[in-house]
Amino acid sequence: MTIKHFDQLIGQFRKQLAVMPDQRTGKNTTYSMEDIGLAAFAVFFTQSPSFLSHQKAMQDAKGASNAQTLFKIGKIPTDVHIRDMLDPVPPEHLFPIYDNVYEAFAAQGFLDNFQGVHNTRLIALDGTWYFSSEKIDCPNCSHIEHQSGSVTNYHSAITPVIVAPGRPHAIPLRPEFIVPQDGHKKQDCEIAAGKRWLEKNGDFYQNGSSTLLGDDIYAHLPFCKKALLYGYHFIFVCKPDSHKSLTEWVELLEPGHEMHTLETRVRNKRNKWETYSYRYANAVPLVDAEDTLHVHWCEVTVTDEKGKQLYKNSFITDFKITDENVAEIVASGRARWKIENENN
């Protein structure tokens, strides 16, 4: 992103922040909501425990701070004031910023660099905690009851990102918060939040050729059907322990006829040889039920030059698997880890 594009993004950000709900009723409006919001955003660009002290030190040393030069912040509020002002603001108020970035990247062709199997755009889904406490709770908390009798209260969300094999960056999309839902007795969960994300955002992010990535929790019959309903492809981790009927099915397939194998050798980043051993089978039932979905399954085992196992995993997908695309499917499926390393 160039300085020009960054300045345009900050300009759009300011416009959105300017209409944030302001709880102040008196004359104590020394700091604008734009400056408060941008000060919070700018924290992620520094490595100082206190953004305020970092910027004031820079101001004293250089006569200007990057809060002013990069983010166009007029006056820098204190950390406490930032939290007090932003805590009551619903996070959905900032969702249009995600859309602005997405549309700008699409218009510039930047998203064309984020492609995986069959030139599809890869969107990784994953849940993450962003708060937990055994003392503090609120109506939006989820809870874990431990055998000791203690309770952990936490907040979590699904944080979808666009990723691609070999790309060091991840592009965040609108999140979906895992919170108690009106009319539901059961506690909200990641898979339910994932379905809501598709219902709310699926059409907007579906560019005609997108693939959802996720861990084993998403290799779930209703969610796979929901993904296909919204026109998405999918590649999800499929662990043997949680998909026993599928695992039993593929292990009974005839080698060379229904169960296919492929082996390749690849040099890693350290210029060492690694062996990738693939097994795959097409049109296998996801679950043992009449309304099951038939998916395509593959497994990869990576070993080093001495035969030591470095990695092993299995995936399900709606892409028919062949010798020509199995490596690309696996590489795309493994790219979901970038949601942890480059985003969360």
Side-chain angles (χ1 to χ4, degrees):
M1 178 182 287
T2 65
I3 293 296
K4 176 183 176 182
H5 291 138
F6 184 79
D7 288 344
Q8 290 174 345
L9 171 62
I10 295 300
Q12 293 173 339
F13 206 175
R14 291 195 72 91
K15 290 180 181 179
Q16 191 64 31
L17 294 171
V19 295
M20 283 198 305
D22 188 342
Q23 64 179 347
R24 294 171 293 188
T25 57
K27 296 181 179 180
N28 183 26
T29 55
T30 303
Y31 306 100
S32 68
M33 291 301 289
E34 300 102 293
D35 283 349
I36 291 170
L38 281 167
F41 176 69
V43 168
F44 296 96
F45 288 80
T46 70
Q47 296 183 11
S48 173
S50 172
F51 175 73
L52 178 65
S53 62
H54 178 83
Q55 296 303 312
K56 285 185 174 178
M58 188 179 295
Q59 175 77 36
D60 293 340
K62 300 183 179 180
S65 70
N66 56 23
Q68 296 165 327
T69 56
L70 280 178
F71 304 103
K72 309 300 187 288
I73 298 173
K75 296 181 179 180
I76 304 172
T78 65
D79 299 347
V80 173
H81 191 54
I82 291 172
R83 287 194 292 269
D84 288 344
M85 293 304 300
L86 294 185
D87 277 353
V89 178
E92 289 80 4
H93 188 82
L94 297 177
F95 281 7
I97 301 299
Y98 289 93
D99 302 343
N100 291 339
V101 172
Y102 175 83
E103 290 173 333
F105 282 174
Q108 297 165 24
F110 185 67
L111 294 183
D112 295 341
N113 298 319
F114 285 77
Q115 294 181 335
V117 60
H118 295 308
N119 297 319
T120 61
R121 185 171 299 161
L122 305 179
I123 300 176
L125 304 175
D126 195 21
T128 186
W129 288 22
Y130 58 92
F131 169 82
S132 67
S133 173
E134 292 188 0
K135 297 180 179 180
I136 302 173
D137 73 302
C138 74
N140 286 328
C141 277
S142 299
H143 311 279
I144 295 178
E145 297 182 3
H146 303 285
Q147 291 183 348
S148 63
S150 63
V151 176
T152 298
N153 311 300
Y154 66 95
H155 285 191
S156 59
I158 287 180
T159 54
V161 296
I162 297 176
V163 297
R167 289 285 167 180
H169 304 106
I171 302 171
L173 307 178
R174 287 187 176 205
E176 176 64 29
F177 295 94
I178 302 172
V179 295
Q181 301 294 301
D182 292 340
H184 291 259
K185 294 182 179 180
K186 290 185 177 181
Q187 183 167 269
D188 197 24
C189 65
E190 183 175 338
I191 198 71
K195 292 177 184 177
R196 291 198 305 274
W197 186 86
L198 273 174
E199 293 163 359
K200 294 177 182 178
N201 308 295
D203 290 339
F204 181 76
Y205 292 123
Q206 170 48 294
N207 71 331
S209 189
S210 294
T211 299
L212 297 179
L213 311 177
D215 61 18
D216 183 78
I217 195 173
Y218 292 97
H220 179 248
L221 179 61
F223 191 82
C224 291
K225 288 185 174 181
K226 178 79 74 171
L228 295 174
L229 177 65
Y230 279 86
Y232 285 82
H233 300 288
F234 62 81
I235 305 172
F236 298 139
V237 172
C238 182
K239 295 180 179 178
D241 290 346
S242 54
H243 293 81
K244 292 184 178 180
S245 65
L246 182 148
T247 301
E248 291 173 357
W249 182 281
V250 298
E251 293 302 337
L252 291 173
L253 296 178
E254 181 182 349
H257 177 61
E258 299 166 309
M259 175 64 73
H260 307 275
T261 60
L262 178 70
E263 188 170 285
T264 62
R265 296 183 72 214
V266 178
R267 284 193 181 275
N268 61 24
K269 294 179 180 179
R270 301 186 306 277
N271 203 33
K272 301 290 186 180
W273 284 106
E274 293 178 348
T275 299
Y276 284 66
S277 301
Y278 301 96
R279 295 196 303 154
Y280 68 88
N282 290 303
V284 298
L286 179 55
V287 297
D288 186 12
E290 290 185 3
D291 65 340
T292 191
L293 184 69
H294 283 77
V295 297
H296 312 302
W297 172 92
C298 63
E299 175 189 80
V300 61
T301 303
V302 183
T303 54
D304 64 13
E305 294 173 324
K306 297 181 179 180
K308 180 182 178 181
Q309 181 174 302
L310 304 175
Y311 177 83
K312 184 175 183 178
N313 213 344
S314 52
F315 303 86
I316 59 166
T317 179
D318 67 308
F319 290 111
K320 185 175 181 180
I321 306 174
T322 66
D323 282 0
E324 287 71 31
N325 69 9
V326 64
E328 194 175 18
I329 287 172
V330 167
S332 296
R334 294 182 68 180
R336 74 175 190 85
W337 280 108
K338 294 178 182 294
I339 197 172
E340 294 286 351
N341 299 333
E342 276 77 24
N343 191 69
N344 293 348

